[in-house]
Amino acid sequence: MIGKVEDGKIVPSDSAVSLAKEKSKKNNSTVDKDQFLQLLVAQMKYQDPLEPTSNTEYVSQYATFSELEQMQNMSASLELARASSLVGQTVLMDVTDGEGRTTTVQGNVDYVRYEGNKAFLSINGELYSMDDLNTVADQKYLSAYATAVDFLNAYNKLPVPALLTIDDEEAVKKVNEMYQNMSEYEKKFITDDYVKGLKKLVDRMEELKLADEENKKSEAEKGENVDKTEGTDKTEDGEDTDEDNDSDGDAKTVQ
């Protein structure tokens, strides 16, 4: 009853598209038992009386159809059992809309609804056909995968070691902490190339920090030397002034 409207047209939800696709598939499915019996009766009714079909052939056709029906029912039962086992699991559904665009829906399966020997999964309050099921994953796996993606995104924003500067210290520290705080299971999602690359960045940053500390220390020592030199100059100037004053006093006394 409620739908999103774009350009004056109602845009069906992913769930509605999934259900509509399943309904269309059902309408275009193979002949069911009742339809087969109707066709069989019509065949018997309109057969050539001069060359009638033998009863054995009718029985054979019905037996073949019954066997096929049993196989279909068994397949449907297996699908229903599989759908029931998905309750509480995290799944990924690939839903294709009317324009051929495929979107991925992720969520936990709350319950399963059965309609016409078909199973529909309830995800985030919407129903989706089992045919749209793409992946069943453990929540721990998805969480670890998301953590690894966050780490890689942060890592890829860092410059290469040769272009690293002291201004990148906080960024490198943050990425390193992200990796160190990951569990052993989460670290399995990070390849050795990234681990080695992170170590090079951390080592290079330590070198830059030591160099920066040495520069600051050197600048501080230079500043102290300058202050000492200026203080010495002032002292010498003061002594000269006193000597001049004494000479003046002696000259006055002689007079």
Side-chain angles (χ1 to χ4, degrees):
M1 298 300 294
I2 299 176
K4 182 180 179 181
V5 178
E6 291 184 359
D7 298 330
K9 297 181 180 179
I10 298 178
V11 180
S13 64
D14 293 337
S15 174
V17 171
S18 181
L19 295 177
K21 184 170 62 176
E22 184 60 39
K23 182 178 180 180
S24 175
K25 184 183 297 184
K26 182 178 179 180
N27 293 335
N28 297 328
S29 61
T30 56
V31 178
D32 60 16
K33 185 176 181 180
D34 293 336
Q35 291 174 327
F36 174 78
L37 291 176
Q38 292 176 4
L39 291 174
L40 189 61
V41 170
Q43 182 181 359
M44 296 174 63
K45 182 178 180 180
Y46 297 105
Q47 66 179 330
D48 188 353
L50 300 179
E51 297 182 0
T53 304
S54 64
N55 293 335
T56 303
E57 185 174 349
Y58 285 125
V59 173
S60 176
Q61 291 179 6
Y62 183 76
T64 302
F65 182 81
S66 298
E67 182 179 356
L68 178 60
E69 184 182 32
Q70 290 178 359
M71 294 178 62
Q72 291 176 340
N73 291 337
M74 183 180 297
S75 177
S77 298
L78 292 174
E79 180 181 355
L80 298 182
R82 181 190 177 201
S84 298
S85 67
L86 295 177
V87 175
Q89 297 290 326
T90 302
V91 298
L92 299 177
M93 311 291 291
D94 285 343
V95 182
T96 304
D97 60 17
E99 298 181 359
R101 295 174 299 186
T102 301
T103 57
T104 300
V105 177
Q106 175 181 333
N108 292 330
V109 179
D110 299 323
Y111 61 88
V112 178
R113 176 178 293 179
Y114 304 104
E115 293 182 2
N117 287 332
K118 295 296 296 183
F120 297 90
L121 308 180
S122 175
I123 304 171
N124 301 327
E126 301 286 348
L127 291 176
Y128 297 91
S129 170
M130 272 284 292
D131 292 335
D132 294 331
L133 180 63
N134 177 278
T135 305
V136 181
D138 180 66
Q139 185 61 42
K140 180 181 178 182
Y141 169 86
L142 294 176
S143 177
Y145 182 81
T147 301
V149 170
D150 292 339
F151 167 80
L152 294 178
N153 289 336
Y155 176 90
N156 291 328
K157 293 179 181 180
L158 297 175
V160 296
L163 301 179
L164 206 63
T165 65
I166 195 65
D167 295 334
D168 300 314
E169 179 182 359
E170 287 299 324
V172 173
K173 181 180 179 182
K174 179 180 178 181
V175 175
N176 187 46
E177 288 178 350
M178 289 177 63
Y179 180 76
Q180 298 302 330
N181 292 333
M182 292 170 65
S183 65
E184 292 300 324
Y185 178 71
E186 293 171 338
K187 289 181 179 179
K188 292 181 180 179
F189 290 80
I190 309 300
T191 61
D192 292 339
D193 292 338
Y194 283 99
V195 176
K196 293 178 181 178
L198 177 61
K199 187 177 184 306
K200 290 180 180 179
L201 289 170
V202 173
D203 292 343
R204 177 55 182 165
M205 182 53 64
E206 290 298 325
E207 294 176 359
L208 293 174
K209 289 170 61 177
L210 290 175
D212 185 61
E213 290 177 0
E214 290 294 332
N215 290 334
K216 289 180 179 179
K217 184 177 179 181
S218 177
E219 292 294 334
E221 291 177 350
K222 289 180 180 180
E224 291 178 358
N225 292 335
V226 170
D227 292 340
K228 289 180 179 179
T229 303
E230 291 178 350
T232 302
D233 292 341
K234 290 180 179 180
T235 303
E236 292 177 352
D237 292 341
E239 292 177 352
D240 293 342
T241 302
D242 292 339
E243 291 178 356
D244 292 340
N245 292 335
D246 293 342
S247 299
D248 294 338
D250 295 340
K252 291 179 180 179
T253 303
V254 171
Q255 293 176 351

